[in-house]
Amino acid sequence: MIAMHNLDISGLISRPDLSREDLLDYIDTFPALLWRIEIARSRIEFLNSQHIAGLGDRTGLFMKSPEFRTLMVLPEDLHFLEGFMEAMKEAKAAECIFRIRDHEGAVRWLKLVGWTHPKDLRYYMGHLLDVSGRAEAIKSIIEKDAELQLMIELADNPVIILDFDTKQVVSQNMAASRLFLYSPDEFRNLFLQDLYHRGMTNMVHRLLNEIIFSKKWEGKLLFERKTNSVFTAETSTRFLIFRERRLLRVSLTNITASEPRQEKRKGRGKDQGGHKALLGQDLLARLDGLSDMDSILRVMLDHQLPNFSFDAILFSDIHARKNRVYVYAAGQPFASMACGEMYSYEGTVAQDIERFKLDYLIVDETLDSIKAIDWALFIPKGIRSYFAKPFYQRGVLRSVMILCSLHPKTFLNEGLSEYSILFEPFQRAVQAWRSAQRCSRMKA
């Protein structure tokens, strides 16, 4: 091996009390083979003295001799190493992982990494280290995930495997087929969006964004069968990797809805009523205990309606005698708006509702409006239509809930019964918020 005094380390010493000898000792004992090659002359001009398990005192020979590499590396992994060597000749950054057999016949995993010197392209440097421990850990995780794939048929509860990237169903057990009323062949042509209720769209999107990092998600979701009947279920979702494929394992328990045959017997009108009640109860449960308006509105935004989706939701806190309206919002169009932004009561949605004694107000196209608030608040945020519902306290207008859409003519008079799903949960949540506000003022 080349002696280490040939290595220029003048730019590497960052502490005045760290001597050249200390740094050289650190490099020599670093738990990897460190090397540097002069590309033009095809020669190794530096190696430390580290021994790699499986290579022993011949570790340095691995970087020097192609014949030795061919002898040590498993034949099926040689192409990885050859690709690395080609990249090294072209002075391109590269890395590869491959396996060798040690003198006892055991397989070990090695990782080779190389890069050019940013200030001197004549040199290519890198390291070789043993990563067997990490490889075995990864292998163990993959094997466990494979067991989950194989065990779905043994589960008593419905279990579904989906491709994470395409969101298409990969497989499901019989319990899932019976629950959703699809045949096995039909099931495998479905996508995730075919299974959950459209009111859960925002929540599912958030789940998918978070699960890559958290690996697991558990909560209650609303699903829809082939017959359009709905049910809620405690949902345990796990992100896993099997044979380099990203998968989503969805397990359903505590299913809370009538059996499909009973629902069919009830008739369409009753089924729709039960559906709405279920959505309202689910929203009440999600809002229970919340008194922070930002959190309240985010939950309501996630709880989309079956047929009338909205892009944002506003709460207007009305103080007509003081000529003030404080506006709170959730949704991307209002992401830059301050919490509790103040507007004059004159020219607001609330004033129109009170002046004309309206039960609700629908604006089909804000661009056709002459209301000051539409041009001051809604149009600059891209809102094209909205539905507004007033709420009174002791006969005085105190709150307005506004569902907003980036598209014109989103809300219809015929949808009132569906919008009403949100009324009671919203009213209760606002009461909880007002109580928290009073307590806060009393403490102050």
Side-chain angles (χ1 to χ4, degrees), residues 37 86 184 195 210 227 245 274 323 342 429:
I37 292 173
E86 288 300 318
L195 302 176
E210 293 176 358
T227 58
R245 187 177 185 183
N323 193 30
M342 188 181 74

Side-chain angles (χ1 to χ4, degrees), residues 203-314:
M203 183 174 290
V204 171
H205 285 176
R206 185 175 297 175
L207 178 165
L208 294 173
N209 289 333
E210 293 176 358
I211 199 168
I212 297 178
F213 305 101
S214 62
K215 307 303 180 188
K216 290 186 72 175
W217 183 91
E218 293 181 354
K220 199 171 186 178
L221 291 179
L222 187 66
F223 295 90
E224 189 167 321
R225 299 183 178 93
K226 181 181 178 180
T227 58
N228 296 323
S229 59
V230 298
F231 63 90
T232 58
E234 295 292 340
T235 308
S236 176
T237 307
R238 177 173 177 177
F239 177 84
L240 55 92
I241 297 176
F242 177 66
R243 295 180 181 174
E244 300 183 356
R245 187 177 185 183
R246 304 199 301 176
L247 300 174
L248 205 60
R249 183 182 189 271
V250 180
S251 176
L252 308 180
T253 56
N254 296 327
I255 297 158
T256 55
S258 301
E259 290 300 317
R261 285 174 294 183
Q262 293 176 326
E263 287 180 351
K264 191 172 182 180
R265 239 184 263 128
K266 288 178 182 177
R268 182 174 177 82
K270 290 184 179 179
D271 180 55
Q272 287 184 338
H275 178 189
K276 292 172 186 174
L278 188 62
L279 287 171
Q281 291 166 10
D282 184 50
L283 182 54
L284 282 169
R286 293 180 186 280
L287 292 170
D288 186 40
L290 296 181
S291 58
D292 170 67
M293 187 51 64
D294 283 344
S295 300
I296 289 168
L297 293 178
R298 280 198 298 270
V299 168
M300 296 199 69
L301 179 66
D302 286 338
H303 201 91
Q304 290 287 309
L305 297 169
N307 300 302
F308 299 93
S309 61
F310 48 97
D311 298 298
I313 182 170
L314 300 185

